[in-house]
Amino acid sequence: MSKFQFIILTPSGSVDPSVAIAASRAGELGVLDLEYVHDEKMAIRALSRLKRYTKNPCGIKISGNDERLLNLLVPQLERPIETVILTPHVDSRRLAKLVELLHSLCLTVVLETTCIEQAVSGENLGVDGLIAKGNESGGWVGEETTFILLQRLLRCSSLPVWAQGGIGIHTAAACCAAGAAGVVLDTQCLLTCESPISESARAAVIRFDGSQSICLGEELGLSCRVYGRPGLKVIQELHRVTELLIQEQEKGKTWEEVLGEFRREVHARVGWGDPDRDLWLIGQDDFLGGSIRRRTPAVSELLVDLRNAIDNQIQVARTLKPFSEGSPLAVSHGTRYPIVQGPMTRVSDRAPFALKVAEGGGLPFVAFGVLRASEILPVVEETRLLLGERPWGVGMLGFIDPDLYQEQLSVIRAIRPPCLLIAGGRPDQANALEQEGIPTYLHVPSSGLLRIYIQDGARRFIFEGRECGGHVGPRSSFALWNSMVQVLLDSLSSVDADQYHVLFAGGIHDDLSSSMVAAVAAPLAERGVRVGVLIGTAYLFTEEAVETGAILRGFQEEAMRCEQTTLLESGPGHVSRCALTPFTETFKREKRRLCEEGKSVEEVRMGLEHLNLGRLRAAAKGVRRNERCGLDSQVPKYRMLSEDEQRRDGMYMIGQVAALHNRTFTIHDLHYNISVRGMDRLDRLRVDQPSLMETDSVKKPFAIAIIGMSCLMPRASNLLAYWENILNKVDAVREIPPDRWDWRLYYDPDQSVRDKIVSKWGGFLDPIPFDP
């Protein structure tokens, strides 16, 4: 592949080219972001500064809808400007004309894309490259995360693709392993010394951990990710704008008009002033794993860190092959591969399915969900009988009703499964079971919680990104993994590193994705941490899932039709990812009705949770609880649903990887692709990773070691004399001696007099005697 390239954007809303200048001088592509320009004259001046202070290739980013600014800029687009990044929210005919115009000026055109449709359209219109801008990025985003969107674009496009969103010191290597052309940095550079943001903004940003990044406008189908600390007036204003626009659309305003108005409202507020007034476009990026928080590096230093990390992690991943057959985690689990089948409520509740996963070399989990002990016991007993000596596990929910939790726990203690997983669990819960000899994993949704869990003695973790199906956390896989790896590295000691067991989850399903995650996990594996992957959605496409009754064929067919997922939020922190089916519209209508009736947040949540009851069972098993059960002893507990009822009433929990599959495969093939082909793929990867600064115009600096120091200062011919003068408060400034020059010829105390000096004093070096 060609050189893995960094595109570095200036902060959105700040017309200051300093970051782009620094990046260009360092041999990368510095880009002046003019998408949110409020002052055209300032934009022209910024472009002039960019061209003046660097001779290396650089570029600009601009909205294709800003025709007036484009007309002003076109005459200025000359060397060293070589690249123009266009945003996707523009009519296809206009985009085609823009591409033709920019090509006539011999410029490279790169299209920022947030979905597969935009990428296909851009390639058809002749753009030269694509940016896969994931949901975790700052500004306008789509539904898919960088991890998923990058995989989709690399599969369907022959153009070079850069990844944007969630890029850090560890995930940059994943993009390189995937075969991306490079990555885009924006939020990551906010704390560099060249960054133009104010000290007050830096003080806020340095405390950022990704949780303060929120999306506005999701109800409109047009999301903008911004800094969203609670109580900010600008956020409240835009929430009101969104509500009004929804009402206007319901009264007859076209969807295009509504979206256009929302874009204008956002555009008018983007900036880096008071966060109560200005929208800060910040993604979930973790500032290169937090290392940037401890210093104020230059952009060039940041790029050196990234290049070194990519070189090291790719090499380590190739050498150790962390997800290969017989890896340290696989040995610990007693399985062939370091692959864990995630517990899926109403899906992984069949012993025959668990057996197929175990026979395929993975570690199967039976999901308890909210089942009573009487419902659980037959399943776990059958699983234990069928699997014999093969390892298996149980998945529990740590946040269910305490009485039900204790009831399920009694089954755990009676059965003593080889492994346990507690979603939403706590270290004290895990530690108690570990002491009883039951290895227990905990889901950890943030780096802050991970630090606490480590301090409290937990050692088995699952890092599951927002891409997964069912209940999801707030952070994308890239954003989460990058910060979690760094926290673990900071916490490790050489003594207990192998006690840590880490499972990466969220969007992993084949050789490409596993090789990417292997690059992320490489630093942990190098230190001795046992690493593996947890798979969920991919099992829904296996032939065995239908054969063993884990799901009905109708569920699998829905999964194969799925091109996009959606998030259903019943309340704060209660979010589920599902396929787009009739029920998702039912859910959204009911939520709007409850909100319009003035229900409290808790009342809305309870109403929607009640609506969700039995929906997943309807989708996976094709049955619903019989309303007459309990009233008539002859009526069965469940009733079968027709295929139409199953699709209409079912809630199809599924992850974003569903869009990457449209056919079935076996569990053996799934495991083999992830563990064998994924690691073999790293060996075949050809990476051109030149050292930073190796460009035609900028040479690589020499490595210099300072082994001694000396000085020659006024009244001090060496370091000792200089230090003694400092200690003794010696004033080395004196009247200019006659042997230098006659100050009386030049001195005049009146500053307004021309061709005169206003001082007759200075610090002068004493003559050094000649010593042959």
Side-chain angles (χ1 to χ4, degrees):
M1 60 182 288
S2 59
K3 174 191 173 186
F4 189 80
Q5 183 185 48
F6 294 97
I7 296 177
I8 294 86
L9 299 176
T10 57
S12 298
S14 172
V15 190
D16 185 312
S18 300
V19 168
I21 292 169
S24 177
R25 285 178 168 179
E28 301 298 342
L29 186 63
V31 174
L32 175 63
D33 189 346
L34 299 176
E35 182 180 0
Y36 299 94
V37 169
H38 299 137
D39 187 322
E40 294 168 348
K41 291 182 179 179
M42 287 183 64
I44 298 296
R45 287 198 294 270
L47 182 58
S48 297
R49 278 189 61 200
L50 177 61
K51 293 191 296 183
R52 178 182 178 185
Y53 289 109
T54 181
K55 300 304 179 186
N56 292 335
C58 51
I60 65 168
K61 175 184 173 183
I62 191 166
S63 168
N65 287 315
D66 198 338
E67 189 170 355
R68 176 179 169 82
L69 181 61
L70 267 170
N71 290 335
L72 291 173
L73 291 176
V74 164
Q76 311 294 325
L77 299 181
E78 56 193 8
R79 291 189 180 278
I81 305 297
E82 293 187 1
T83 302
V84 175
I85 298 175
L86 295 175
T87 58
H89 304 295
V90 59
D91 177 78
S92 60
R93 284 180 294 182
R94 173 161 175 73
L95 181 60
K97 291 180 179 179
L98 278 174
V99 172
E100 184 179 358
L101 170 63
L102 295 171
H103 278 166
S104 71
L105 300 174
C106 299
L107 294 166
T108 298
V109 181
V110 176
L111 181 66
E112 177 186 281
T113 61
T114 60
C115 65
I116 193 72
E117 292 78 14
Q118 292 170 354
V120 172
S121 175
E123 185 162 12
N124 291 338
L125 294 174
V127 302
D128 305 299
L130 302 169
I131 293 175
K133 186 179 182 184
N135 179 266
E136 59 268 63
S137 302
W140 300 111
V141 295
E143 192 264 344
E144 290 183 322
T145 67
T146 305
F147 184 42
I148 299 298
L149 185 58
L150 176 60
Q151 293 180 61
R152 293 195 74 181
L153 265 57
L154 289 173
R155 286 169 180 263
C156 76
S157 177
S158 59
L159 296 177
V161 182
W162 286 261
Q164 180 177 0
I167 306 301
I169 201 76
H170 305 297
T171 51
C175 299
C176 187
V183 293
V184 178
L185 306 181
D186 47 8
T187 302
Q188 299 88 338
C189 298
L190 289 177
L191 297 178
T192 59
C193 59
E194 294 94 346
S195 172
I197 67 173
S198 66
E199 288 304 316
S200 60
R202 286 174 184 267
V205 168
I206 203 168
R207 296 190 294 271
F208 185 78
D209 67 358
S211 62
Q212 300 91 337
S213 179
I214 65 171
C215 280
L216 299 175
E218 288 181 307
E219 305 92 326
L220 299 172
L222 184 66
S223 298
C224 186
R225 186 171 288 282
V226 301
Y227 176 71
R229 175 170 52 80
L232 291 178
K233 292 179 181 177
V234 68
I235 301 298
Q236 295 170 354
E237 287 176 8
L238 283 166
H239 280 318
R240 288 193 291 270
V241 167
T242 300
E243 292 171 3
L244 290 173
L245 288 174
I246 290 174
Q247 293 173 12
E248 290 182 15
Q249 193 271 333
E250 291 173 346
K251 293 177 182 177
K253 204 167 192 177
T254 68
W255 205 242
E256 289 74 17
E257 290 173 328
V258 167
L259 297 184
E261 182 61 29
F262 184 66
R263 288 195 193 98
R264 287 188 289 272
E265 293 285 349
V266 168
H267 189 284
R269 292 170 171 82
V270 173
W272 282 97
D274 184 347
D276 248 351
R277 183 191 68 247
D278 290 349
L279 278 178
W280 296 0
L281 303 188
I282 296 185
Q284 291 185 337
D285 311 271
D286 189 47
F287 304 104
L288 301 185
S291 62
I292 192 173
R293 300 173 196 273
R294 298 187 286 272
R295 57 195 176 99
T296 305
V299 168
S300 59
E301 292 178 279
L302 216 61
L303 296 171
V304 168
D305 287 348
L306 279 166
R307 285 229 180 265
N308 289 340
I310 291 171
D311 283 340
N312 179 67
Q313 290 180 214
I314 295 292
Q315 185 56 47
V316 170
R318 280 172 166 164
T319 303
L320 297 182
K321 294 182 171 52
F323 303 147
S324 62
E325 180 179 355
S327 74
L329 186 117
V331 171
S332 179
H333 285 172
T335 58
R336 182 178 180 183
Y337 302 122
I339 298 173
V340 173
Q341 168 253 305
M344 295 172 281
T345 304
R346 306 300 184 192
V347 174
S348 52
D349 55 3
R350 293 289 188 270
F353 179 67
L355 177 62
K356 292 295 185 182
V357 173
E359 288 176 342
L363 178 65
F365 271 80
V366 176
F368 277 10
V370 293
L371 298 176
R372 312 300 307 194
S374 59
E375 299 173 286
I376 292 169
L377 275 169
V379 178
V380 293
E381 287 286 7
E382 185 184 1
T383 302
R384 184 166 63 172
L385 181 64
L386 267 181
L387 269 68
E389 296 299 317
R390 294 187 178 93
W392 57 284
V394 165
M396 297 178 65
L397 302 176
F399 50 81
I400 56 177
D401 178 80
D403 290 336
L404 178 57
Y405 178 80
Q406 291 300 324
E407 185 179 328
Q408 292 185 353
L409 201 58
S410 66
V411 176
I412 295 294
R413 289 190 167 117
I415 298 296
R416 299 187 63 78
C419 198
L420 183 65
L421 186 160
I422 308 179
R426 305 185 309 270
D428 62 299
Q429 294 171 324
N431 291 340
L433 290 160
E434 288 272 359
Q435 290 172 8
E436 296 179 35
I438 303 175
T440 305
Y441 280 94
L442 293 173
H443 280 271
V444 193
S446 71
S447 57
L449 278 177
L450 179 59
R451 292 187 184 94
I452 295 172
Y453 284 18
I454 290 173
Q455 291 171 3
D456 290 347
R459 293 294 181 266
R460 298 175 190 270
F461 306 117
I462 298 171
F463 304 151
E464 186 172 67
R466 196 172 176 84
E467 292 87 335
C468 68
H471 298 292
V472 299
R475 293 168 179 79
S476 74
S477 288
F478 268 11
L480 181 68
W481 295 342
N482 194 77
S483 61
M484 299 306 228
V485 169
Q486 193 60 46
V487 168
L488 270 179
L489 289 174
D490 292 342
S491 305
L492 286 178
S493 68
S494 58
V495 177
D496 64 355
D498 64 345
Q499 295 178 19
Y500 287 90
H501 291 59
V502 173
L503 299 176
F504 292 85
I508 307 165
H509 61 107
D510 65 355
D511 57 336
L512 173 60
S513 57
S514 71
S515 65
M516 294 172 71
V517 185
V520 176
L524 295 179
E526 185 178 31
R527 295 283 294 276
V529 176
R530 300 173 188 266
V531 296
V533 296
L534 183 142
I535 310 298
T537 295
Y539 283 107
L540 300 176
F541 293 87
T542 62
E543 296 168 6
E544 293 89 342
V546 173
E547 291 171 0
T548 60
I551 58 174
L552 292 179
R553 189 166 301 280
F555 192 113
Q556 192 171 76
E557 289 172 351
E558 190 64 47
M560 289 190 287
R561 284 193 296 267
C562 182
E563 288 292 332
Q564 184 180 352
T565 60
T566 188
L567 293 174
L568 302 183
E569 183 178 17
S570 55
H574 296 265
V575 185
S576 296
R577 184 175 298 284
C578 307
L580 284 170
T581 62
F583 175 70
T584 60
E585 291 304 315
T586 301
F587 181 96
K588 292 174 183 178
R589 283 196 302 271
E590 179 64 9
K591 183 175 183 177
R592 186 172 301 174
R593 183 187 69 80
L594 292 170
C595 292
E596 289 173 350
E597 290 179 358
K599 301 292 185 182
S600 68
V601 172
E602 184 60 19
E603 287 173 327
V604 171
R605 187 185 70 81
M606 292 298 291
L608 294 174
E609 290 292 343
H610 180 74
L611 176 68
N612 289 347
L613 287 176
R615 302 288 181 168
L616 181 55
R617 185 194 290 117
K621 300 297 195 289
V623 298
R624 290 209 70 177
R625 188 177 293 274
N626 200 317
E627 295 82 357
R628 294 183 55 79
C629 180
L631 301 175
D632 184 345
S633 59
Q634 301 301 313
V635 174
K637 186 175 181 179
Y638 299 109
R639 67 180 181 88
M640 295 298 298
L641 301 177
S642 67
E643 290 184 3
D644 289 342
E645 287 178 312
Q646 180 189 2
R647 187 168 193 277
R648 184 192 67 212
D649 298 339
M651 183 179 185
Y652 292 79
M653 289 187 175
I654 198 166
Q656 289 186 340
V657 299
L660 290 159
H661 293 284
N662 57 12
R663 62 179 182 83
T664 62
F665 38 79
T666 66
I667 288 177
H668 171 271
D669 289 341
L670 173 64
H671 291 177
Y672 188 82
N673 282 338
I674 290 170
S675 191
V676 179
R677 290 181 178 169
M679 299 306 95
D680 289 346
R681 187 179 177 279
L682 291 168
D683 288 330
R684 298 193 304 271
L685 186 65
R686 180 177 175 270
V687 182
D688 181 8
Q689 257 285 88
S691 298
L692 187 70
M693 310 293 284
E694 286 187 350
T695 65
D696 292 339
S697 57
V698 185
K699 301 300 181 183
K700 183 179 179 181
F702 291 105
I704 299 175
I706 299 175
I707 58 174
M709 291 181 64
S710 187
C711 73
L712 181 63
M713 305 291 287
R715 297 197 182 184
S717 60
N718 55 55
L719 280 173
L720 180 60
Y722 180 54
W723 179 238
E724 289 176 346
N725 284 347
I726 292 174
L727 296 178
N728 297 322
K729 301 181 180 179
V730 173
D731 185 357
V733 177
R734 63 188 190 273
E735 190 174 276
I736 300 171
D739 60 325
R740 296 300 176 101
W741 69 80
D742 187 351
W743 58 265
R744 291 171 297 183
L745 298 175
Y746 307 101
Y747 171 74
D748 195 304
D750 185 355
Q751 297 186 25
S752 63
V753 176
R754 297 182 61 182
D755 300 324
K756 294 291 183 178
I757 60 174
V758 295
S759 176
K760 54 185 177 180
W761 304 86
F764 298 92
L765 300 178
D766 295 322
I768 302 175
F770 176 70
D771 184 4

